[in-house]
Amino acid sequence: MYVERYGRGEAHSFALHGWGGSHRDFAPLAAHVPARFSLLSADLPGTGCSPAPREWSLGSIAEEICEAVEAFAELDSRRKITLVGSCSGAILALLVAERMEGRVGRLVLVDPFAYMPRYFRLFTNRSIGRRAYDATFANPFGRWITNQALRGRRTPDSDLTASFVETNHEAARRYLALFSELEGVERFERLRLPVDIAYGERTFGAVRKSVEMWRGVWPQAHARRLEGAGHLPLQEAARKLCEIIFDSADGGAEVAYQAEREARV
């Protein structure tokens, strides 16, 4: 897997982009990474500069990400890593956290869906899904129409379909099909890690509903609304998002989480 490094610090956060994106989605954060940190931004298997996955299954893809975390983060056994997942990349971050129990110290989920809304399920329909996808995301005019239709879910200077100009559309369709097969959020309830959920004030209603679903699974989760941002906080609230990712990344969130657990006991 291809991994871009933003920052040169020894404390690492490993970032996974969302559907149709690439490692470049996290580039707006580069200017705000504190000196003692690094943000490692990966191209998911089959996207950007990364080759296709060994197998098109969520389990296999999660294993490849685990290998990349080990290889590129240069993990010190005494220091746990923060996983950052944007949009559908949050699901992959959770799958990786399951497999790397004891190595992941914290999760930051950015505008994460907890389920697949009906408007996305249209693109997985066997009879019309491919045509609907191509008309919406593989066609320049379709992308323009879609971005205009979603102007209430973004800031005026951002583009919700820009990443699809260079995306691997076959890989995007495959990922969407895999995400449609996911079980409910309850399968992740055993993950007892510090969790921060950052979401845009103007994001999709399905994301706002998802935030409440995640908080129902993880009582320890902190939900942080990013004022003025839509579904692209990486672009629209980069500085504030970096504060969330790195402010507690050196152990503060884990200490707070442990204090909360003791208080509940």
Side-chain angles (χ1 to χ4, degrees):
M1 284 175 59
Y2 178 82
V3 176
E4 184 78 13
R5 182 172 182 169
Y6 301 118
R8 292 296 168 189
E10 294 183 357
H12 300 100
S13 294
F14 199 93
L16 303 172
H17 64 79
W19 181 61
S22 73
H23 75 274
R24 290 188 292 274
D25 291 1
F26 288 88
L29 276 60
H32 308 293
V33 177
R36 69 182 184 279
F37 293 103
S38 288
L39 180 66
L40 300 166
S41 181
D43 279 332
L44 297 177
T47 72
C49 300
S50 292
R54 294 187 289 261
E55 176 186 313
W56 278 104
S57 70
L58 286 175
S60 179
I61 290 169
E63 287 298 331
E64 289 193 43
I65 297 171
C66 290
E67 293 168 8
V69 171
E70 293 282 5
F72 289 93
E74 301 167 346
L75 288 177
D76 184 324
S77 61
R78 297 167 297 177
R79 176 180 288 140
K80 296 182 180 181
I81 197 166
T82 295
L83 287 180
V84 183
S86 175
C87 190
S88 58
I91 297 296
L92 292 170
L94 296 175
L95 294 173
V96 170
E98 285 183 331
R99 288 162 171 76
M100 299 188 72
E101 186 174 3
R103 304 298 296 278
V104 175
R106 180 168 168 255
L107 291 164
V108 179
L109 310 183
V110 183
D111 233 63
F113 286 97
Y115 65 98
M116 180 174 285
R118 284 179 294 179
Y119 44 81
F120 280 130
R121 289 194 178 277
L122 170 67
F123 303 124
T124 66
N125 183 280
R126 290 187 177 182
S127 59
I128 65 169
R130 180 176 288 268
R131 292 196 299 274
Y133 174 94
D134 288 345
T136 305
F137 298 109
N139 179 287
F141 183 66
R143 288 194 295 269
W144 182 83
I145 289 291
T146 301
N147 192 53
Q148 293 303 308
L150 297 176
R151 58 184 176 272
R153 301 293 173 250
R154 59 179 177 84
T155 57
D157 57 346
S158 61
D159 187 338
L160 282 165
T161 61
S163 64
F164 287 89
V165 174
E166 298 181 353
T167 198
N168 180 329
H169 293 294
E170 182 58 31
R173 283 189 285 262
R174 283 179 174 265
Y175 271 107
L176 199 60
L178 291 178
F179 291 134
S180 71
E181 300 171 359
L182 279 169
E183 307 165 13
V185 296
E186 294 78 14
R187 66 155 293 172
F188 297 114
E189 64 183 354
R190 64 175 295 273
L191 285 174
R192 293 303 177 186
L193 297 169
V195 180
D196 282 289
I197 305 172
Y199 66 100
E201 175 189 17
R202 302 169 60 185
T203 191
F204 296 103
V207 172
R208 291 193 294 270
K209 180 179 177 180
S210 293
V211 171
E212 295 308 312
M213 293 172 67
W214 292 124
R215 294 181 71 187
V217 171
W218 303 312
Q220 78 276 15
H222 294 142
R224 302 167 183 260
R225 188 173 73 169
L226 301 172
E227 302 298 328
H231 185 55
L232 298 175
L234 296 175
Q235 298 177 25
E236 300 164 342
R239 182 185 295 275
K240 182 60 178 178
L241 193 55
C242 270
E243 291 176 3
I244 293 171
I245 293 173
F246 299 110
D247 187 46
S248 301
D250 222 7
E254 189 164 1
V255 170
Y257 167 55
Q258 293 299 335
E260 287 183 11
R261 287 191 65 185
E262 292 173 7
R264 288 198 297 271
V265 173

